[in-house]
Amino acid sequence: MTTMMIKRRAAFGAMLLASCAVLAAPKAARKPAATGGLPRYGMVVFSDLCIHADSGEFGGQRITLQRFAEVDTVLYEYTAGGISWPVVASDVNIDPRGRQMYFTVRPPDEEERTISGKIADGGKTLVLDGGYCGDEAVPMRLPLVTDFGRKAGTCRACPETKKNKEKEVE
């Protein structure tokens, strides 16, 4: 074997190795996060919207997160008798692992507030900081919406809090 043939084989081997690396890289980048966090691109919706059995009005809230290469956006909807118009959030922040997020909203005729939460259950639930039904011990959990055609369920009554039970005893 001449040195020319050895050099050609080495160059061919290097090109083959580089080609395999290039082809394998996009597949690794497309894999979903194994951590159970938010996907880096796309749209997810977390919602506990329901219908009050006695009044027929909506209850709960819905958070729609849109993730783009340049920016992340949040549409926040809540109920106050009826469902609100979507409020576009500002200052949207998501940790690099996609497990925590916070954003700021200013609903009409209300003070600006920051909503924050953690992703739980392998990405299937957004657990908001603060309390459910005014009880700080019970976190508010918004499930991931996977069936956008489903009907809203019936709202559950707020569980009795320790404070309410103490008031009734007095």
Side-chain angles (χ1 to χ4, degrees), residues 75-92:
L75 298 174
Y76 176 68
E77 298 165 276
Y78 61 98
T79 57
I83 193 163
S84 70
W85 285 101
V87 178
V88 178
S90 62
D91 193 26
V92 177

Side-chain angles (χ1 to χ4, degrees), residues 9-25:
R9 284 188 177 183
F12 179 73
M15 286 190 335
L16 182 62
L17 183 63
S19 298
C20 290
V22 167
L23 292 173

Side-chain angles (χ1 to χ4, degrees), residues 43-50 61-65 77 123-126 141-152:
M43 182 176 87
V44 292
V45 178
F46 295 96
S47 175
D48 67 349
L49 287 180
C50 56
Q61 56 192 331
R62 176 169 45 206
I63 296 173
T64 303
L65 170 65
E77 298 165 276
K124 296 191 184 327
T125 307
L126 174 61
R141 302 176 65 86
L142 304 180
L144 177 68
V145 176
T146 55
D147 179 6
F148 293 96
R150 72 171 173 82
K151 291 185 178 182

Side-chain angles (χ1 to χ4, degrees), residues 36-123:
L38 294 168
R40 178 57 200 106
Y41 301 102
M43 182 176 87
V44 292
V45 178
F46 295 96
S47 175
D48 67 349
L49 287 180
C50 56
I51 298 176
H52 291 283
D54 54 342
S55 66
E57 293 183 335
F58 276 102
Q61 56 192 331
R62 176 169 45 206
I63 296 173
T64 303
L65 170 65
Q66 299 169 329
R67 302 202 73 190
F68 301 102
E70 302 84 24
V71 68
D72 296 322
T73 62
V74 169
L75 298 174
Y76 176 68
E77 298 165 276
Y78 61 98
T79 57
I83 193 163
S84 70
W85 285 101
V87 178
V88 178
S90 62
D91 193 26
V92 177
N93 291 283
I94 301 170
D95 81 323
R97 297 175 301 154
R99 292 187 180 172
Q100 297 181 12
M101 66 182 288
Y102 69 88
F103 56 91
T104 304
V105 292
R106 184 182 185 119
D109 303 326
E110 291 185 31
E111 294 292 317
E112 182 176 88
R113 64 180 181 231
T114 298
I115 298 172
S116 61
K118 295 175 180 61
I119 303 302
D121 303 329

